[in-house]
Amino acid sequence: MKNDFKLAGLALKTTTTNENGQCARDCEKSWSDFAAGHYFSRIPDKLSNEVFAVYHNYEGDHTQPFSYFIGCQVNIDAILPSELDTLVIPEAKYQKFEAKGTMPQSIIDTWISIWNSDLPRAYQADFEVYGEKSQDWNNAEIEVYISVL
C-alpha cells in the first residue's frame, strides 16, 4: 500500500492508447517535451530527483484509452507555478516490478510481461520511477508500480 502523493510536471494533453504503437510515440514526445521545456529544473521543492511516468484515467483495461503524465514528487500541499501540470496519485495497493537492461527495450519487455500476466490490475494509476539507477540507458533499472485489487 502506498499513500497518496502529488506530482508536478507535464501532462499529455490528450488520451493515448496502446493500439498501433500510439502510446510509444506519445510517451517519446512527452519525454522530449519534458526535457526541452526544462520541466525538471522548473519544478520547485522536489522531494527527490526521481522522475515519474504515470499511466492513469484508464477508460477500461490496457487496450483502452488512458492519460499519461511525467513529473516529480512534491509536497501534497505545495503551491506551484501555473504553467506546471499537477497530478495526485491516490492511495492504493501496488505490485512492484523492475525493468533492467537496455532502454527502452527493457521497459517495453516489462510492460509486455505485465499485460500478458494474470495480475489482478485495478487500472487506477500505474507508474514508472526513473531514479539514479536509470541514468545509464545501456544498463538501466526502472521501478514499475502497477495498481492492483
Side-chain angles (χ1 to χ4, degrees):
M1 185 70 72
K2 283 190 166 291
N3 292 331
D4 60 341
F5 60 96
K6 184 176 183 176
L7 300 173
L10 176 65
L12 180 66
K13 302 307 181 211
T14 62
T15 59
T16 188
T17 177
N18 286 314
E19 193 172 312
N20 298 319
Q22 186 62 48
C23 179
R25 289 189 299 277
D26 289 340
C27 292
E28 184 178 331
K29 180 164 180 359
S30 291
W31 279 100
S32 178
D33 291 348
F34 186 82
H38 305 284
Y39 279 84
F40 184 84
S41 62
R42 291 171 44 201
I43 300 169
D45 303 320
K46 290 183 286 295
L47 297 181
S48 75
N49 287 328
E50 297 172 326
V51 176
F52 291 69
V54 185
Y55 307 82
H56 64 106
N57 287 338
Y58 287 94
E59 293 181 19
D61 66 12
H62 68 276
T63 65
Q64 302 298 310
F66 53 90
S67 298
Y68 187 69
F69 186 96
I70 301 173
C72 299
Q73 189 173 359
V74 296
N75 281 320
I76 201 81
D77 57 355
I79 306 298
L80 299 160
S82 61
E83 70 268 10
L84 294 176
D85 297 315
T86 61
L87 178 66
V88 175
I89 306 298
E91 179 178 301
K93 184 177 172 184
Y94 291 93
Q95 176 74 44
K96 180 181 173 184
F97 294 84
E98 288 191 357
K100 293 182 180 182
T102 304
M103 283 293 289
Q105 194 59 50
S106 63
I107 199 76
I108 292 167
D109 293 344
T110 299
W111 278 105
I112 289 170
S113 70
I114 291 165
W115 295 332
N116 292 328
S117 74
D118 59 359
L119 190 67
R121 294 184 62 188
Y123 292 102
Q124 291 179 347
D126 303 319
F127 55 91
E128 302 158 358
V129 181
Y130 294 82
E132 193 172 308
K133 293 181 179 181
S134 71
Q135 301 304 309
D136 177 4
W137 277 46
N138 291 313
N139 187 27
E141 292 182 31
I142 294 99
E143 297 174 346
V144 180
Y145 292 86
I146 304 299
S147 59
V148 294
L149 300 173

mmCIF file of all heavy atoms in Angstrom, residues 1-5 50 52 73 89-97 124-129 143-148:
data_model
loop_
_atom_site.group_PDB
_atom_site.id
_atom_site.type_symbol
_atom_site.label_atom_id
_atom_site.label_comp_id
_atom_site.label_asym_id
_atom_site.label_seq_id
_atom_site.Cartn_x
_atom_site.Cartn_y
_atom_site.Cartn_z
ATOM 1 N N MET A 1 0.851 -1.183 0.000
ATOM 2 C CA MET A 1 0.000 0.000 0.000
ATOM 3 C C MET A 1 0.891 1.239 0.000
ATOM 4 O O MET A 1 1.834 1.317 0.757
ATOM 5 C CB MET A 1 -0.894 -0.015 1.244
ATOM 6 C CG MET A 1 -1.893 1.096 1.285
ATOM 7 S SD MET A 1 -3.225 0.988 0.087
ATOM 8 C CE MET A 1 -4.203 -0.330 0.738
ATOM 9 N N LYS A 2 0.595 2.152 -0.888
ATOM 10 C CA LYS A 2 1.300 3.427 -0.934
ATOM 11 C C LYS A 2 0.296 4.528 -0.632
ATOM 12 O O LYS A 2 -0.829 4.505 -1.126
ATOM 13 C CB LYS A 2 1.908 3.667 -2.319
ATOM 14 C CG LYS A 2 3.171 2.886 -2.597
ATOM 15 C CD LYS A 2 3.799 3.416 -3.890
ATOM 16 C CE LYS A 2 5.199 2.926 -4.047
ATOM 17 N NZ LYS A 2 6.149 3.473 -3.109
ATOM 18 N N ASN A 3 0.727 5.491 0.175
ATOM 19 C CA ASN A 3 -0.120 6.645 0.451
ATOM 20 C C ASN A 3 -0.218 7.511 -0.798
ATOM 21 O O ASN A 3 0.600 7.408 -1.710
ATOM 22 C CB ASN A 3 0.464 7.468 1.600
ATOM 23 C CG ASN A 3 0.403 6.730 2.915
ATOM 24 O OD1 ASN A 3 -0.471 5.899 3.138
ATOM 25 N ND2 ASN A 3 1.354 7.016 3.794
ATOM 26 N N ASP A 4 -1.230 8.395 -0.808
ATOM 27 C CA ASP A 4 -1.360 9.298 -1.942
ATOM 28 C C ASP A 4 -0.161 10.244 -1.991
ATOM 29 O O ASP A 4 0.469 10.514 -0.986
ATOM 30 C CB ASP A 4 -2.681 10.065 -1.896
ATOM 31 C CG ASP A 4 -2.859 10.917 -0.656
ATOM 32 O OD1 ASP A 4 -2.163 10.690 0.353
ATOM 33 O OD2 ASP A 4 -3.708 11.815 -0.681
ATOM 34 N N PHE A 5 0.172 10.709 -3.196
ATOM 35 C CA PHE A 5 1.255 11.656 -3.354
ATOM 36 C C PHE A 5 0.981 12.528 -4.569
ATOM 37 O O PHE A 5 0.187 12.190 -5.439
ATOM 38 C CB PHE A 5 2.626 10.968 -3.427
ATOM 39 C CG PHE A 5 2.804 9.995 -4.563
ATOM 40 C CD1 PHE A 5 3.401 10.393 -5.757
ATOM 41 C CD2 PHE A 5 2.415 8.671 -4.431
ATOM 42 C CE1 PHE A 5 3.586 9.492 -6.790
ATOM 43 C CE2 PHE A 5 2.603 7.760 -5.458
ATOM 44 C CZ PHE A 5 3.186 8.175 -6.640
ATOM 45 N N GLU A 50 13.912 11.847 -8.493
ATOM 46 C CA GLU A 50 13.243 10.827 -9.298
ATOM 47 C C GLU A 50 12.210 11.471 -10.215
ATOM 48 O O GLU A 50 11.567 12.451 -9.851
ATOM 49 C CB GLU A 50 12.543 9.809 -8.398
ATOM 50 C CG GLU A 50 13.490 9.022 -7.520
ATOM 51 C CD GLU A 50 12.765 8.157 -6.516
ATOM 52 O OE1 GLU A 50 11.685 8.568 -6.035
ATOM 53 O OE2 GLU A 50 13.277 7.081 -6.208
ATOM 54 N N PHE A 52 8.776 10.533 -12.420
ATOM 55 C CA PHE A 52 7.697 9.561 -12.510
ATOM 56 C C PHE A 52 7.005 9.678 -13.863
ATOM 57 O O PHE A 52 6.716 10.785 -14.308
ATOM 58 C CB PHE A 52 6.645 9.820 -11.418
ATOM 59 C CG PHE A 52 7.118 9.538 -10.014
ATOM 60 C CD1 PHE A 52 8.077 10.340 -9.406
ATOM 61 C CD2 PHE A 52 6.591 8.472 -9.303
ATOM 62 C CE1 PHE A 52 8.504 10.086 -8.111
ATOM 63 C CE2 PHE A 52 7.009 8.213 -8.011
ATOM 64 C CZ PHE A 52 7.968 9.023 -7.419
ATOM 65 N N GLN A 73 7.879 14.306 -7.661
ATOM 66 C CA GLN A 73 7.072 14.360 -6.451
ATOM 67 C C GLN A 73 7.339 15.648 -5.678
ATOM 68 O O GLN A 73 8.481 16.077 -5.515
ATOM 69 C CB GLN A 73 7.370 13.151 -5.563
ATOM 70 C CG GLN A 73 6.410 13.017 -4.401
ATOM 71 C CD GLN A 73 6.601 11.729 -3.617
ATOM 72 O OE1 GLN A 73 7.442 10.903 -3.946
ATOM 73 N NE2 GLN A 73 5.799 11.567 -2.589
ATOM 74 N N ILE A 89 -1.692 11.105 -7.123
ATOM 75 C CA ILE A 89 -1.826 9.658 -7.233
ATOM 76 C C ILE A 89 -2.527 9.188 -5.963
ATOM 77 O O ILE A 89 -2.022 9.421 -4.865
ATOM 78 C CB ILE A 89 -0.439 8.974 -7.361
ATOM 79 C CG1 ILE A 89 0.367 9.574 -8.502
ATOM 80 C CG2 ILE A 89 -0.598 7.468 -7.492
ATOM 81 C CD1 ILE A 89 -0.249 9.425 -9.862
ATOM 82 N N PRO A 90 -3.688 8.553 -6.093
ATOM 83 C CA PRO A 90 -4.428 8.150 -4.896
ATOM 84 C C PRO A 90 -3.757 6.989 -4.170
ATOM 85 O O PRO A 90 -3.009 6.203 -4.771
ATOM 86 C CB PRO A 90 -5.790 7.726 -5.456
ATOM 87 C CG PRO A 90 -5.512 7.319 -6.859
ATOM 88 C CD PRO A 90 -4.366 8.171 -7.326
ATOM 89 N N GLU A 91 -4.041 6.898 -2.884
ATOM 90 C CA GLU A 91 -3.563 5.768 -2.096
ATOM 91 C C GLU A 91 -4.081 4.484 -2.734
ATOM 92 O O GLU A 91 -5.243 4.403 -3.128
ATOM 93 C CB GLU A 91 -4.067 5.876 -0.661
ATOM 94 C CG GLU A 91 -3.637 4.722 0.220
ATOM 95 C CD GLU A 91 -4.111 4.895 1.650
ATOM 96 O OE1 GLU A 91 -3.740 5.909 2.274
ATOM 97 O OE2 GLU A 91 -4.852 4.019 2.125
ATOM 98 N N ALA A 92 -3.207 3.514 -2.866
ATOM 99 C CA ALA A 92 -3.602 2.254 -3.496
ATOM 100 C C ALA A 92 -2.599 1.166 -3.152
ATOM 101 O O ALA A 92 -1.505 1.430 -2.657
ATOM 102 C CB ALA A 92 -3.698 2.426 -5.015
ATOM 103 N N LYS A 93 -2.991 -0.041 -3.489
ATOM 104 C CA LYS A 93 -2.126 -1.201 -3.347
ATOM 105 C C LYS A 93 -1.422 -1.401 -4.688
ATOM 106 O O LYS A 93 -2.056 -1.335 -5.745
ATOM 107 C CB LYS A 93 -2.982 -2.418 -2.999
ATOM 108 C CG LYS A 93 -2.209 -3.679 -2.739
ATOM 109 C CD LYS A 93 -3.179 -4.781 -2.332
ATOM 110 C CE LYS A 93 -2.467 -6.113 -2.253
ATOM 111 N NZ LYS A 93 -3.419 -7.195 -1.943
ATOM 112 N N TYR A 94 -0.103 -1.643 -4.643
ATOM 113 C CA TYR A 94 0.690 -1.770 -5.867
ATOM 114 C C TYR A 94 1.522 -3.048 -5.864
ATOM 115 O O TYR A 94 1.981 -3.493 -4.814
ATOM 116 C CB TYR A 94 1.653 -0.578 -6.021
ATOM 117 C CG TYR A 94 0.951 0.709 -6.307
ATOM 118 C CD1 TYR A 94 0.582 1.569 -5.278
ATOM 119 C CD2 TYR A 94 0.635 1.078 -7.610
ATOM 120 C CE1 TYR A 94 -0.070 2.757 -5.539
ATOM 121 C CE2 TYR A 94 -0.030 2.259 -7.879
ATOM 122 C CZ TYR A 94 -0.376 3.089 -6.841
ATOM 123 O OH TYR A 94 -1.031 4.262 -7.100
ATOM 124 N N GLN A 95 1.735 -3.580 -7.042
ATOM 125 C CA GLN A 95 2.691 -4.651 -7.272
ATOM 126 C C GLN A 95 3.894 -4.018 -7.946
ATOM 127 O O GLN A 95 3.742 -3.320 -8.954
ATOM 128 C CB GLN A 95 2.085 -5.733 -8.172
ATOM 129 C CG GLN A 95 3.033 -6.842 -8.549
ATOM 130 C CD GLN A 95 3.303 -7.789 -7.399
ATOM 131 O OE1 GLN A 95 2.390 -8.180 -6.686
ATOM 132 N NE2 GLN A 95 4.562 -8.140 -7.219
ATOM 133 N N LYS A 96 5.088 -4.251 -7.398
ATOM 134 C CA LYS A 96 6.303 -3.646 -7.934
ATOM 135 C C LYS A 96 7.014 -4.608 -8.882
ATOM 136 O O LYS A 96 7.161 -5.791 -8.588
ATOM 137 C CB LYS A 96 7.243 -3.264 -6.789
ATOM 138 C CG LYS A 96 8.538 -2.628 -7.229
ATOM 139 C CD LYS A 96 9.402 -2.324 -6.022
ATOM 140 C CE LYS A 96 10.773 -1.852 -6.428
ATOM 141 N NZ LYS A 96 11.640 -1.657 -5.257
ATOM 142 N N PHE A 97 7.464 -4.064 -10.005
ATOM 143 C CA PHE A 97 8.275 -4.786 -10.984
ATOM 144 C C PHE A 97 9.545 -3.980 -11.208
ATOM 145 O O PHE A 97 9.574 -2.779 -10.934
ATOM 146 C CB PHE A 97 7.533 -4.919 -12.323
ATOM 147 C CG PHE A 97 6.315 -5.774 -12.245
ATOM 148 C CD1 PHE A 97 5.101 -5.246 -11.810
ATOM 149 C CD2 PHE A 97 6.360 -7.102 -12.603
ATOM 150 C CE1 PHE A 97 3.971 -6.027 -11.736
ATOM 151 C CE2 PHE A 97 5.228 -7.903 -12.539
ATOM 152 C CZ PHE A 97 4.039 -7.364 -12.101
ATOM 153 N N GLN A 124 -5.999 1.977 -11.860
ATOM 154 C CA GLN A 124 -6.139 3.311 -11.270
ATOM 155 C C GLN A 124 -5.004 4.180 -11.792
ATOM 156 O O GLN A 124 -5.201 4.942 -12.713
ATOM 157 C CB GLN A 124 -6.131 3.231 -9.749
ATOM 158 C CG GLN A 124 -7.365 2.577 -9.187
ATOM 159 C CD GLN A 124 -7.324 2.475 -7.679
ATOM 160 O OE1 GLN A 124 -6.301 2.671 -7.039
ATOM 161 N NE2 GLN A 124 -8.456 2.136 -7.091
ATOM 162 N N ALA A 125 -3.843 4.036 -11.184
ATOM 163 C CA ALA A 125 -2.652 4.746 -11.655
ATOM 164 C C ALA A 125 -1.490 3.766 -11.593
ATOM 165 O O ALA A 125 -1.252 3.147 -10.565
ATOM 166 C CB ALA A 125 -2.370 5.964 -10.789
ATOM 167 N N ASP A 126 -0.806 3.603 -12.702
ATOM 168 C CA ASP A 126 0.397 2.785 -12.775
ATOM 169 C C ASP A 126 1.537 3.736 -13.102
ATOM 170 O O ASP A 126 1.345 4.707 -13.832
ATOM 171 C CB ASP A 126 0.273 1.733 -13.883
ATOM 172 C CG ASP A 126 -0.949 0.844 -13.701
ATOM 173 O OD1 ASP A 126 -1.240 0.458 -12.552
ATOM 174 O OD2 ASP A 126 -1.607 0.541 -14.708
ATOM 175 N N PHE A 127 2.722 3.477 -12.543
ATOM 176 C CA PHE A 127 3.799 4.429 -12.795
ATOM 177 C C PHE A 127 5.175 3.780 -12.807
ATOM 178 O O PHE A 127 5.397 2.749 -12.200
ATOM 179 C CB PHE A 127 3.760 5.598 -11.805
ATOM 180 C CG PHE A 127 3.782 5.208 -10.347
ATOM 181 C CD1 PHE A 127 4.983 5.096 -9.658
ATOM 182 C CD2 PHE A 127 2.596 4.986 -9.660
ATOM 183 C CE1 PHE A 127 5.004 4.755 -8.321
ATOM 184 C CE2 PHE A 127 2.610 4.646 -8.314
ATOM 185 C CZ PHE A 127 3.816 4.524 -7.637
ATOM 186 N N GLU A 128 6.060 4.435 -13.549
ATOM 187 C CA GLU A 128 7.467 4.074 -13.626
ATOM 188 C C GLU A 128 8.240 5.127 -12.847
ATOM 189 O O GLU A 128 7.907 6.313 -12.902
ATOM 190 C CB GLU A 128 7.943 4.086 -15.078
ATOM 191 C CG GLU A 128 7.157 3.166 -15.977
ATOM 192 C CD GLU A 128 7.230 3.519 -17.451
ATOM 193 O OE1 GLU A 128 7.870 4.539 -17.816
ATOM 194 O OE2 GLU A 128 6.619 2.780 -18.239
ATOM 195 N N VAL A 129 9.271 4.683 -12.129
ATOM 196 C CA VAL A 129 10.109 5.601 -11.363
ATOM 197 C C VAL A 129 11.523 5.550 -11.927
ATOM 198 O O VAL A 129 12.174 4.506 -11.916
ATOM 199 C CB VAL A 129 10.116 5.244 -9.861
ATOM 200 C CG1 VAL A 129 10.976 6.244 -9.089
ATOM 201 C CG2 VAL A 129 8.700 5.194 -9.302
ATOM 202 N N GLU A 143 11.896 1.179 -11.692
ATOM 203 C CA GLU A 143 10.834 0.546 -10.917
ATOM 204 C C GLU A 143 9.503 0.819 -11.599
ATOM 205 O O GLU A 143 9.244 1.939 -12.040
ATOM 206 C CB GLU A 143 10.815 1.095 -9.489
ATOM 207 C CG GLU A 143 12.081 0.784 -8.716
ATOM 208 C CD GLU A 143 12.115 1.460 -7.356
ATOM 209 O OE1 GLU A 143 11.294 2.371 -7.092
ATOM 210 O OE2 GLU A 143 12.992 1.083 -6.558
ATOM 211 N N VAL A 144 8.654 -0.208 -11.676
ATOM 212 C CA VAL A 144 7.326 -0.084 -12.264
ATOM 213 C C VAL A 144 6.317 -0.523 -11.213
ATOM 214 O O VAL A 144 6.420 -1.635 -10.682
ATOM 215 C CB VAL A 144 7.192 -0.956 -13.533
ATOM 216 C CG1 VAL A 144 5.800 -0.806 -14.140
ATOM 217 C CG2 VAL A 144 8.264 -0.608 -14.562
ATOM 218 N N TYR A 145 5.361 0.337 -10.910
ATOM 219 C CA TYR A 145 4.327 0.045 -9.909
ATOM 220 C C TYR A 145 2.984 -0.068 -10.605
ATOM 221 O O TYR A 145 2.554 0.856 -11.297
ATOM 222 C CB TYR A 145 4.277 1.155 -8.853
ATOM 223 C CG TYR A 145 5.499 1.193 -7.979
ATOM 224 C CD1 TYR A 145 6.639 1.890 -8.354
ATOM 225 C CD2 TYR A 145 5.520 0.503 -6.767
ATOM 226 C CE1 TYR A 145 7.776 1.914 -7.553
ATOM 227 C CE2 TYR A 145 6.635 0.527 -5.951
ATOM 228 C CZ TYR A 145 7.756 1.232 -6.355
ATOM 229 O OH TYR A 145 8.878 1.251 -5.555
ATOM 230 N N ILE A 146 2.325 -1.188 -10.405
ATOM 231 C CA ILE A 146 1.026 -1.474 -11.018
ATOM 232 C C ILE A 146 -0.033 -1.512 -9.920
ATOM 233 O O ILE A 146 0.107 -2.277 -8.955
ATOM 234 C CB ILE A 146 1.059 -2.824 -11.771
ATOM 235 C CG1 ILE A 146 2.177 -2.840 -12.811
ATOM 236 C CG2 ILE A 146 -0.294 -3.116 -12.402
ATOM 237 C CD1 ILE A 146 2.062 -1.794 -13.887
ATOM 238 N N SER A 147 -1.081 -0.702 -10.059
ATOM 239 C CA SER A 147 -2.170 -0.721 -9.080
ATOM 240 C C SER A 147 -2.935 -2.044 -9.210
ATOM 241 O O SER A 147 -3.274 -2.476 -10.312
ATOM 242 C CB SER A 147 -3.094 0.480 -9.253
ATOM 243 O OG SER A 147 -3.658 0.501 -10.544
ATOM 244 N N VAL A 148 -3.142 -2.692 -8.067
ATOM 245 C CA VAL A 148 -3.799 -3.993 -8.045
ATOM 246 C C VAL A 148 -4.982 -3.973 -7.085
ATOM 247 O O VAL A 148 -5.083 -3.130 -6.205
ATOM 248 C CB VAL A 148 -2.825 -5.123 -7.669
ATOM 249 C CG1 VAL A 148 -1.751 -5.302 -8.739
ATOM 250 C CG2 VAL A 148 -2.173 -4.882 -6.321
#
